[in-house]
Amino acid sequence: MSVETEDAFQKELVELFVQEAQEWLQQIHVALDELQQSPPLERHRALAQTIKVGITNLGGSAATLNLSDVERASFSTLPFVEAVQNPSTQISVDDFIALCKHLGHIHGALTRSTGVSFEEKHVPAFAQDSSTKIPTKDFLILLRDLHTQRQTANRFQRNLIQTMVAQAEGLLDRKVEQCDVASIHEFLDRSAEGDQGFLNVVRQAVPQLRTILQTLKNDRVVQNSPSLDLQNPIEHVAQLWSAAQQVNASNAMVFFMGLHSFLVIVTQHHAMVNATHFDAIQSRLGQNMEEIEEWAESGRMERVAIQNVLPH
């Protein structure tokens, strides 16, 4: 094999490695993000294992390509993963900070070794500034007070405060006496992004769903077979159902699940449906959109309430 061929082959291998490294890092940072939120014990162990496997894969693949800088940075990070691996032991914020910093070293080594920029955008903000904290016991008391105040404040009760209560209780069980304020803000920011993303998707989908339902109604009035292909709309409604499930929008999930079943029955079983049923579904679609807007607003208010009790 000529030198040129060897160089081309090595370049191709590095390009494949870059793609794999990006996927592993994404998995690592997603797992780390959840790990910081005090998940249940078994989930904690699974997340830590995901991080460990991803870093090991990175180091092993780097070794086969003689990317020694990446190899060293990866394997030197493993002890810091092990420091947060056992949820039964006391894990401090400093342990997470150390792990995040070493992940940053991996990013840097990858950039230097491959010439591809591996930004450290996924490294949590608290790894850069951990000065602002709140005693876990105090935070738990504040959260419980908020939960009591909001029990009758809105018909769409969100579980954000309850989730944070569970997380704070988990920290106390592990004898973690301080909560990092930056990581709390990150959790709230992710919640806001999830809500807004779901809201945007539904807002975009509703006009299309209205058109589909109206077309189906017209077809039934003149007793025609469906004049449009409903396979894509059915799949789209299934995606809305899944999206609602991901953000725990239970009412929306039930509605889209029912709408999905209805469309499947109408199209695949050629069921004859009275036109008034389509009108009822159209009306329910409008109500559901209003409820989703109210659900999102309730989440926003809970996040604001939590942020207001945090030290600034």
Side-chain angles (χ1 to χ4, degrees), residues 213-274:
L213 290 169
Q214 186 61 46
T215 302
L216 283 173
K217 175 185 174 181
N218 294 340
D219 288 339
R220 290 304 182 270
V221 169
V222 297
Q223 297 185 344
N224 285 338
S225 58
S227 60
L228 73 166
D229 181 5
L230 288 178
Q231 186 57 41
N232 287 337
I234 288 174
E235 292 177 357
H236 189 45
V237 172
Q239 291 169 0
L240 291 172
W241 165 16
S242 176
Q245 187 176 32
Q246 290 175 16
V247 295
N248 200 27
S250 55
N251 287 4
M253 182 178 66
V254 170
F255 173 76
F256 289 124
M257 187 187 306
L259 180 58
H260 179 267
S261 299
F262 172 78
L263 292 176
V264 169
I265 291 171
V266 168
T267 56
Q268 295 184 3
H269 299 282
H270 306 290
M272 293 303 298
V273 181
N274 191 291

Side-chain angles (χ1 to χ4, degrees), residues 149-190:
Q149 294 168 16
R150 291 193 56 79
Q151 277 184 324
T152 58
N154 195 299
R155 68 181 178 129
F156 286 100
Q157 292 297 322
R158 299 293 299 275
N159 62 355
L160 295 175
I161 294 175
Q162 289 174 288
T163 297
M164 300 214 74
V165 166
Q167 291 172 358
E169 289 173 342
L171 290 173
L172 283 179
D173 289 342
R174 286 160 40 195
K175 304 188 186 307
V176 178
E177 297 181 355
Q178 299 285 327
C179 290
D180 187 81
V181 173
S183 63
I184 296 171
H185 281 297
E186 284 188 1
F187 171 80
L188 296 175
D189 289 344
R190 287 195 306 275

